[in-house]
Amino acid sequence: MSADSLVNKLTAFLADDLERTAAAKLAGRLAEGGHAAAAFELLTELREGSRKVASAAVEALPEVVALLPGEAVVTWIDLAVSLNEQSGAASIKFCKESAGLLQAMDSGVAGPALAMALELAEQDANVALEGFRQAAGVVAAAGVEALLLWGQIGADLAKLDYVLGIEYLRRGPEILKVLASEDLKAWASVSVTLVTPNSLGKPDYMAALAFFRTSPELLGDLATPAVRRRVLALSGVLADHSPEQAVGFLGEAPGWLRLIRDPQWQERVLQYGTLIAERDAAAALAYLRRAPEVIDLADPDAPAPPPATMDRFDKWYRGGMEVLAYNPDAARAYFAVETRKALEAIEEAASGVALRSVARVLKLFAEGLSGHPVTIRPLDGSKGDESTIALPARMRRYPSKEDNLRMYKVLTAHEAGHLEYGTYDLPLTRLADLAAQAGLRYGRASASPPTSLEEFFQLYPHPLLIRDLWMMAEDARIEACLKAEYPGLRRDMEAVAREEVARRSLTHGMSVRELIVELLLEMSATDPDEVRVPDALADVVERAWALLRVVSIPQATAEDVVRAVHRAYVLIEELTAKELPTPPAGASEGSNQPLQPRAGEEQGGAYRPVETFAHRGVMDATRVREPEGGVGSHGEPSLSGGSRSRQAPRVRRDAASVPTPVEGLPSASLADDVRVIPEEETGAASLALPGVRTFLYDEWDGQVQDYRTRWCRVVEQTAPEGTEEFIGLVRSRYGGVVSLIRRYFEGIRPPGLRRMRRQADGEEVDIEAAVEALVERKAHVSASEFVYIRRDRRDRDVAAAFLVDLSGSTGQQIGPGGARIIDVEKEGLVLLCEALEAIGDQYAVYGYSGQSRHDVQILVLKDFDERYGPSVWRRIDAVRPLVQNRDGAAIRHALRRLSERAAKVKLLVMLSDGRPLDDAYQEEYALEDTKAALREAKALGVHPFCITVDREARGYLERMYGDVCYLIIDRVESLPERLPRIYKALTT
């Protein structure tokens, strides 16, 4: 066929859908490039397939020809034909959208895009159409070379799952901005594993589609391609084992990865996470959640991971892998740091010295220095009692353990010094004259005398200034007292002080008064002659130091310090009232010329407190107040001149003055866990609502063979009250029994004192033994020295705690129309209390129930020091069945209460109607934990005993209590009368 004939035929073909002129022009352009024959053949084929699609193609052809070279036009028509073979609708969409899509493509992109779409069209029309739609974005993000690989992966994914394939193609331009093309396959693979069957057995795409939509942002937050690659690999492994765990990881990963600043650390953590996930997905997720905190505890300030820190982290990881090899549950608990062994491993991984590991030693050290019982607790900003010493939860100012322990010792000695030398025992009445002077001088007199030293400081124009001077001078006095009375401390205290002074650096940002206090602070801690004082401040600093130096001696008292501080404040205020010279131009911190104060600020302006030395801390002036007992209640002067306190005041440090542990972590973080002092782990208490106290207790997990730390939250509160009607009914029903019980128990109550003859010491001479000794001496026989009579108490010395099960099952009736189990228990309690009142033993009665480990309720029916009277009667009346029973936590709380009692014999009696049961706390887990709690009781010298009405209890009670530590009552209604007899048998 001639060229002219071909053009005429093509023109006629096109004229069916275009104007004749436009058709002729279009045919001529195709003929010029030698593509008219191919175009005509393809268009004819397209029309044979669908007249409608062919018309759409012809209508779009003028714009397409204007945008594409000739060979690409043929490819475009070929693509329309291929699409039409599978979907006419897709082909029409392609034709209509082509002009807009081609306009967005740079030159050189359209050809590869059409070629890729043509390959995809052999598989699926809609996949090819979506690929062509996204091609421009893909090329813009990753280049033309990534186009074919991206498209092929989309096609393969669509074969596997059409929905995922389409979504993959749609998200291509976004993901390729943050992900290398070689990682696309891994990205797509993760989505496949996230598809799970729904309740109807059909595919659920929610997680997979969410992954496609959110992963560009998630991966974009990561530092390096290597880290992104690790995230995808880990996601894939997690999804293979548990899609739910993978979804959890993808949701949480951005947060904890931001906590790991160094990419090298991120890669290491993700690599180990993948190895763990290959064995157990839940353990991997627990590991990943804790890893940032472990790294921070290991070395929070390192810009890059040093080898020593990596070694400590690796050791923690390897420990978990060893556990995982034989017990996945234990490994999950290990990596989640829920057990005691896990906490021990964390402490080994952490840098520095943990307070919990040395608290006992520091407590004994402080008590030896101060002569007062003290409590050591971590520094957390909360208020402690008057004998509390708060210290950093972890000390890591130095590389070595010895130096960190030395710092702890100096900190503790300094705090104990405040207790020993009466920092907070200053009678404010002795400062009445100073308060009057300050009030008159500054016109700030108050209507009533100050009630605390902090209020006294408010009489001055700059209370922060005089407070700083007081802390500095009082700290210097305490250090002088400690060095004089305990020479062994001197070397450590002086070494720490030198190091602290060397760390200081004066800056030009200080005002004149701030600079003066800074210089005085350094002079108080080291040799004053070594402190470099600017010439402009030499006079005021020397004169102020002369006033303060006289109280930096052991013979000074807390009152002497305040008076010296008052004089120093007045001096500094007077001498700094006018501006002082500015430093020479160009002077810098590194120059040899002494630094000068800044005069640019108003000298009477705001004063910013100067940060004191870490080994001193910040004292609390509000604690210096007139005691309720008046002046005579203060301690006597000590041999070294300071006032020794009879009552140890609370000592608190300011968090800014010492290195703080991990900051910015949630309450369930490792920073919270490692703060717990071992002595407090078994029952850390905190106040909740008024009248309510909460405690945290460990719980034994038999499956992991370890205690889960701070696992159960026990809430103790006084039981609600009802009426006294129930007590009256019991007494009327058991009137004769009550009288008999009281007479019987009064009969076995021992007399108060017994004369013990022939003793080595006593209150009076044993005449008979003395005469015998005299006769033996006259006979030159060795005479006995046991010639005294001593009166010994014969009290029973018994403390008993009764735990009453208030679970919902106690609401069951005993036989048809009979009383409930809870009513029988209440009757038994009344008779028991009557007996115990008669015998005089100290006792407490607690009801327990709850729902889950987060809410174990302890209701105080009668406490140890509480009188058995109307309020107790009303509480017993109000007892009702509640929910479930977590026996282990209730036992541990009762043991805590018993440990507070001084008694030779301690008894724990449980009244229960069945085995422990509370949500997941059941079967073997519950029995093993209750058994562990009973072991703890025996280790503490407490004798446990269980009374139950469960006739099938023998099997599990023998496991928990042994052969002789329980009693099963077959007839529940006999419990009231039998309970006092049981108690008598247990305690005599």
Side-chain angles (χ1 to χ4, degrees):
M1 182 183 300
S2 65
D4 292 339
S5 176
L6 181 60
V7 170
N8 290 335
K9 284 189 176 185
L10 182 57
T11 301
F13 185 94
L14 298 174
D16 290 343
D17 297 291
L18 298 175
E19 292 183 1
R20 186 73 183 182
T21 305
K25 183 178 180 181
L26 185 58
R29 290 194 60 178
L30 291 172
E32 290 175 4
H35 304 293
F40 180 70
E41 182 180 352
L42 290 171
L43 287 171
T44 301
E45 182 181 353
L46 185 59
R47 178 171 288 181
E48 291 173 355
S50 171
R51 181 71 177 79
K52 188 175 181 180
V53 174
S55 296
V58 171
E59 290 172 0
L61 200 54
E63 290 185 273
V64 171
V65 170
L67 295 169
L68 294 177
E71 66 275 8
V73 173
V74 175
T75 306
W76 181 86
I77 301 172
D78 193 8
L79 179 55
V81 173
S82 297
L83 294 174
N84 183 59
E85 289 175 355
Q86 298 188 46
S87 170
S91 186
I92 290 174
K93 289 179 183 178
F94 167 72
C95 294
K96 291 182 177 181
E97 297 175 16
S98 288
L101 295 173
L102 291 172
Q103 286 176 356
M105 295 182 185
D106 294 335
S107 59
V109 174
L114 289 167
M116 175 207 66
L118 192 59
E119 286 191 24
L120 298 183
E122 295 177 1
Q123 176 183 318
D124 185 272
N126 288 306
V127 170
L129 178 59
E130 193 61 44
F132 185 67
R133 286 170 175 165
Q134 307 300 331
V138 169
V139 172
V144 175
E145 58 276 6
L147 195 59
L148 190 58
L149 175 62
W150 166 76
Q152 190 56 55
I153 293 174
D156 294 342
L157 187 58
K159 285 181 183 178
L160 189 64
D161 193 293
Y162 175 78
V163 174
L164 293 182
I166 293 295
E167 191 64 27
Y168 163 89
L169 293 170
R170 287 175 181 167
R171 302 297 166 182
E174 299 175 57
I175 196 63
L176 283 169
K177 293 177 182 177
V178 298
L179 199 65
S181 58
E182 56 266 28
D183 297 323
L184 284 173
K185 191 169 185 178
W187 181 64
S189 298
V190 173
S191 70
V192 176
T193 56
L194 292 177
V195 179
T196 57
N198 59 20
S199 58
L200 301 177
K202 296 182 178 181
D204 185 346
Y205 293 99
M206 293 298 295
L209 297 179
F211 167 71
F212 274 141
R213 291 165 187 163
T214 59
S215 53
E217 181 178 358
L218 184 155
L219 297 172
D221 286 341
L222 304 182
T224 65
V227 173
R228 297 179 191 125
R229 200 168 292 121
R230 293 283 187 191
V231 167
L232 289 176
L234 178 52
S235 301
V237 174
L238 285 172
D240 284 337
H241 290 79
S242 170
E244 294 78 12
Q245 300 285 6
V247 171
F249 162 69
L250 291 168
E252 298 175 24
W256 58 256
L257 279 174
R258 279 193 289 270
L259 298 175
I260 306 175
R261 298 182 296 272
D262 184 75
Q264 187 178 350
W265 263 124
Q266 292 179 348
E267 285 190 57
R268 197 181 196 89
V269 168
L270 292 166
Q271 177 188 4
Y272 291 166
T274 304
L275 295 174
I276 299 172
E278 289 173 352
R279 299 190 183 185
D280 188 86
L285 207 55
Y287 155 83
L288 292 165
R289 287 168 177 159
R290 286 301 194 186
E293 298 174 81
V294 176
I295 294 170
D296 200 63
L297 285 172
D299 196 346
D301 301 320
T309 304
M310 283 191 170
D311 289 344
R312 288 195 294 269
F313 183 83
D314 289 354
K315 185 177 180 181
W316 173 69
Y317 157 75
R318 287 195 301 271
M321 291 297 282
E322 290 172 3
V323 176
L324 182 58
Y326 67 85
N327 192 332
D329 287 330
R332 294 166 194 163
Y334 174 93
F335 285 123
V337 197
E338 293 174 349
T339 64
R340 291 183 183 176
K341 292 176 183 176
L343 270 178
E344 292 171 2
I346 288 294
E347 287 196 358
E348 289 185 18
S351 61
V353 175
L355 177 60
R356 56 182 283 128
S357 66
V358 296
R360 179 64 179 168
V361 174
L362 296 178
K363 174 183 170 67
L364 296 175
F365 178 59
E367 290 176 346
L369 291 178
S370 66
H372 301 287
V374 301
T375 299
I376 302 292
R377 69 167 177 82
L379 180 67
D380 57 7
S382 62
K383 293 185 178 296
D385 59 29
E386 294 182 344
S387 61
T388 297
I389 290 179
L391 299 170
R394 183 167 297 277
M395 183 62 65
R396 45 189 172 200
R397 290 179 72 85
Y398 304 96
S400 70
K401 177 180 178 181
E402 293 73 18
D403 287 341
N404 284 311
L405 187 57
R406 181 192 65 178
M407 186 65 171
Y408 260 140
K409 185 172 73 171
V410 173
L411 276 166
T412 305
H414 202 277
E415 298 287 24
H418 287 300
L419 303 182
E420 182 177 4
Y421 301 111
T423 294
Y424 297 99
D425 286 344
L426 171 62
L428 292 180
T429 52
R430 296 184 185 176
L431 302 179
D433 58 322
L434 280 187
Q437 290 180 35
L440 291 174
R441 182 181 183 91
Y442 301 113
R444 302 164 70 94
S446 59
S448 58
T451 59
S452 70
L453 193 59
E454 181 61 34
E455 289 188 15
F456 173 78
F457 291 154
Q458 297 302 318
L459 299 174
Y460 294 80
H462 300 287
L464 298 180
L465 170 60
I466 191 169
R467 186 194 301 153
D468 272 4
L469 292 171
W470 169 71
M471 287 192 294
M472 179 265 295
E474 179 65 14
D475 280 331
R477 180 183 76 88
I478 294 299
E479 289 175 359
C481 292
L482 289 170
K483 291 176 183 177
E485 191 156 347
Y486 308 105
L489 280 173
R490 175 184 291 272
R491 184 177 63 182
D492 286 341
M493 294 181 71
E494 290 179 348
V496 169
R498 284 194 301 270
E499 292 164 1
E500 290 296 314
V501 171
R503 291 172 183 260
R504 311 289 280 200
S505 62
L506 302 181
T507 67
H508 292 286
M510 286 186 172
S511 67
V512 171
R513 287 170 180 161
E514 291 163 11
L515 187 51
I516 290 171
V517 173
E518 172 68 29
L519 294 167
L520 292 172
L521 181 65
E522 294 186 15
M523 296 172 80
S524 73
T526 188
D527 184 355
D529 294 335
E530 296 179 0
V531 178
R532 209 167 45 129
V533 180
D535 294 338
L537 295 179
D539 180 56
V540 62
V541 171
E542 289 174 5
R543 292 172 63 178
W545 176 242
L547 295 173
L548 298 174
R549 181 176 52 197
V550 297
V551 294
S552 301
I553 57 175
Q555 293 75 24
T557 65
E559 179 185 351
D560 296 335
V561 170
V562 177
R563 293 186 177 278
V565 164
H566 167 78
R567 292 191 292 271
Y569 175 91
V570 173
L571 173 73
I572 293 171
E573 184 191 50
E574 290 178 350
L575 295 183
T576 59
K578 60 181 182 299
E579 290 188 356
L580 295 176
T582 58
S588 65
E589 290 184 27
S591 65
N592 294 325
Q593 184 174 357
L595 295 173
Q596 301 295 321
R598 179 189 59 182
E601 291 184 359
E602 180 186 354
Q603 301 307 315
Y607 170 86
R608 297 168 300 180
V610 174
E611 183 179 347
T612 189
F613 296 120
H615 71 283
R616 287 184 173 180
V618 178
M619 296 182 295
D620 187 357
T622 61
R623 291 293 174 179
V624 183
R625 56 177 60 249
E626 197 68 44
E628 295 180 2
V631 176
S633 66
H634 289 280
E636 298 298 328
S638 71
L639 294 176
S640 61
S643 172
R644 292 183 182 270
S645 167
R646 287 202 184 109
Q647 292 185 348
R650 174 181 171 271
V651 180
R652 180 175 62 85
R653 286 190 172 273
D654 186 272
S657 66
V658 290
T660 58
V662 184
E663 297 179 355
L665 295 174
S667 58
S669 69
L670 291 185
D672 294 330
D673 292 337
V674 298
R675 296 166 80 88
V676 181
I677 305 301
E679 295 177 353
E680 300 171 353
E681 281 184 341
T682 53
S686 63
L687 292 176
L689 299 173
V692 178
R693 300 184 71 195
T694 61
F695 301 79
L696 295 176
Y697 291 96
D698 293 357
E699 184 170 275
W700 176 258
D701 187 335
Q703 192 165 7
V704 305
Q705 289 295 297
D706 199 358
Y707 281 94
R708 292 188 178 272
T709 57
R710 300 162 65 82
W711 194 249
C712 293
R713 176 176 174 267
V714 170
V715 180
E716 180 192 88
Q717 57 185 317
T718 303
E721 296 186 4
T723 67
E724 299 178 21
E725 181 181 353
F726 181 78
I727 300 298
L729 292 174
V730 174
R731 285 177 172 172
S732 62
R733 180 177 179 180
Y734 298 95
V737 175
V738 171
S739 300
L740 182 64
I741 288 173
R742 290 190 66 89
R743 286 197 303 271
Y744 178 75
F745 275 85
E746 285 171 353
I748 64 174
R749 182 171 186 164
L753 296 173
R754 180 179 63 176
R755 287 165 57 91
M756 306 288 291
R757 307 180 66 87
R758 299 181 182 276
Q759 300 297 307
D761 57 73
E763 295 84 3
E764 58 183 287
V765 176
D766 185 339
I767 300 299
E768 182 179 338
V771 170
E772 291 179 3
L774 181 61
V775 171
E776 290 170 349
R777 191 174 293 111
K778 293 289 186 181
H780 302 289
V781 178
S782 177
S784 172
E785 298 180 354
F786 296 87
V787 294
Y788 296 96
I789 294 175
R790 186 174 69 239
R791 295 180 182 272
D792 280 357
R793 289 193 174 275
R794 295 188 59 200
D795 291 343
R796 286 162 52 85
D797 203 12
V798 175
F802 294 87
L803 276 176
V804 184
D805 178 3
L806 303 182
S807 59
S809 57
T810 59
Q812 296 178 3
Q813 288 186 331
I814 308 168
R820 300 175 304 171
I821 294 175
I822 190 71
D823 298 325
V824 176
E825 286 183 347
K826 288 162 61 176
E827 291 177 355
L829 287 178
V830 172
L831 299 186
L832 179 66
C833 290
E834 296 284 347
L836 291 170
E837 288 295 312
I839 202 171
D841 288 351
Q842 50 179 322
Y843 70 99
V845 183
Y846 307 108
Y848 72 98
S849 184
Q851 183 96 44
S852 85
R853 67 184 180 92
H854 302 292
D855 186 25
V856 180
Q857 295 287 331
I858 297 290
L859 299 180
V860 180
L861 301 175
K862 180 194 175 299
D863 222 338
F864 280 105
D865 295 323
E866 192 172 8
R867 188 177 71 87
Y868 177 67
S871 61
V872 175
W873 302 341
R874 291 191 292 271
R875 291 175 203 157
I876 294 176
D877 172 73
V879 168
R880 298 290 183 272
L882 298 176
V883 260
Q884 302 186 94
N885 55 308
R886 203 176 193 97
D887 289 10
I891 291 171
R892 292 183 179 96
H893 187 70
L895 292 178
R896 178 187 179 89
R897 289 293 176 234
L898 280 169
S899 69
E900 299 167 353
R901 312 307 300 179
K904 292 181 180 178
V905 178
K906 295 182 180 181
L907 185 66
L908 172 61
V909 180
M910 295 188 67
L911 275 70
S912 173
D913 73 326
R915 64 174 65 213
L917 177 65
D918 180 21
D919 291 352
Y921 188 83
Q922 53 187 293
E923 303 301 336
E924 287 298 311
Y925 184 97
L927 296 180
E928 287 295 320
D929 175 59
T930 306
K931 184 177 180 180
L934 294 170
R935 284 199 305 265
E936 296 165 28
K938 293 175 183 177
L940 293 172
V942 176
H943 305 284
F945 192 84
C946 178
I947 303 171
T948 182
V949 298
D950 182 5
R951 298 179 181 180
E952 301 177 357
R954 187 174 305 278
Y956 64 82
L957 286 181
E958 284 184 358
R959 285 183 55 189
M960 294 191 297
Y961 287 86
D963 295 333
V964 295
C965 294
Y966 66 90
L967 177 66
I968 300 174
I969 297 182
D970 295 331
R971 293 178 56 251
V972 180
E973 56 271 18
S974 68
L975 175 64
E977 296 182 29
R978 294 183 64 179
L979 195 54
R981 296 202 299 270
I982 295 169
Y983 179 78
K984 182 253 181 183
L986 291 173
T987 57
T988 57

